[in-house]
Amino acid sequence: MSDVEVTIKLPSELLARARAIDLSLEDQAEAIREAVERQIQQGEAATRLLRTAEQFDTLPDQMKPNLEEIVIAARQARAEIAAEAKSFDNQHPR
């Protein structure tokens, strides 16, 4: 995969505040990449959730899960997401 250079425009006030605390924005590439990765993960999760909801709508009523089953599945999904996030954080320490 090849890299792409991105130019980010920031308000001058924000740049001045960063400079005031000696924050080098050039050194923030990894933090920006991580933020983008998290946004992508959230967007992908939202897309999966929407697809799942659409699939539920197509099921006959007797096959649709009840509230308890949905809650259990949501908890399982949260645990999986938390494990993925922990793995990502371990692979990309700050």
Side-chain angles (χ1 to χ4, degrees), residues 36-82:
V36 169
E37 181 66 35
R38 288 194 198 304
Q39 288 290 319
I40 291 169
Q41 289 174 353
Q42 289 175 351
E44 291 170 343
T47 298
R48 287 192 305 273
L49 181 59
L50 180 59
R51 286 188 186 139
T52 300
E54 289 169 349
Q55 290 173 349
F56 282 155
D57 286 343
T58 64
L59 291 173
D61 286 343
Q62 66 271 18
M63 292 182 67
K64 290 181 181 176
N66 62 37
L67 181 59
E68 182 179 348
E69 293 168 328
I70 292 171
V71 169
I72 290 169
R75 287 182 179 149
Q76 290 172 340
R78 279 192 193 132
E80 291 172 13
I81 291 168

Side-chain angles (χ1 to χ4, degrees), residues 13-25:
E13 179 185 328
L14 185 61
L15 184 57
R17 289 173 57 208
R19 286 181 178 153
I21 62 166
D22 295 325
L23 177 64
S24 172
L25 296 178

